[in-house]
Amino acid sequence: MGERLKVFAVIALLGFMAGVIAQLTADYVIPWLLTVLPALINIKWVVSGFAGACLTLVLITAWAYMTRKER
């Protein structure tokens, strides 16, 4: 039971961190990019896709390192 609770806690923490990263990106990074690169970033689905890809890579990498077996 203890191991399962640890897994749930780690997943909850990762989800919380993902939410914080998404909010910070929406508040600070995207508006900054809109001023710096207006022609490229005007397409919102490109920004959303890029943010989703980055967030997924971070979460999967963290999960892979946290669940690897020690030998």
Side-chain angles (χ1 to χ4, degrees):
M1 179 74 176
E3 290 296 319
R4 187 173 293 188
L5 191 59
K6 286 180 189 177
V7 169
F8 283 138
V10 168
I11 291 172
L13 181 63
L14 287 175
F16 178 80
M17 290 175 17
V20 170
I21 290 169
Q23 185 64 42
L24 290 174
T25 300
D27 288 343
Y28 299 108
V29 176
I30 292 175
W32 176 76
L33 285 175
L34 287 173
T35 60
V36 174
L37 304 169
L40 179 63
I41 307 298
N42 252 346
I43 306 171
K44 289 203 177 246
W45 59 268
V46 172
V47 175
S48 297
F50 182 73
C54 291
L55 191 58
T56 302
L57 285 175
V58 168
L59 291 174
I60 294 299
T61 302
W63 172 76
Y65 277 108
M66 294 172 86
T67 59
R68 70 178 178 185
K69 294 186 183 220
E70 299 295 325
R71 292 182 185 214

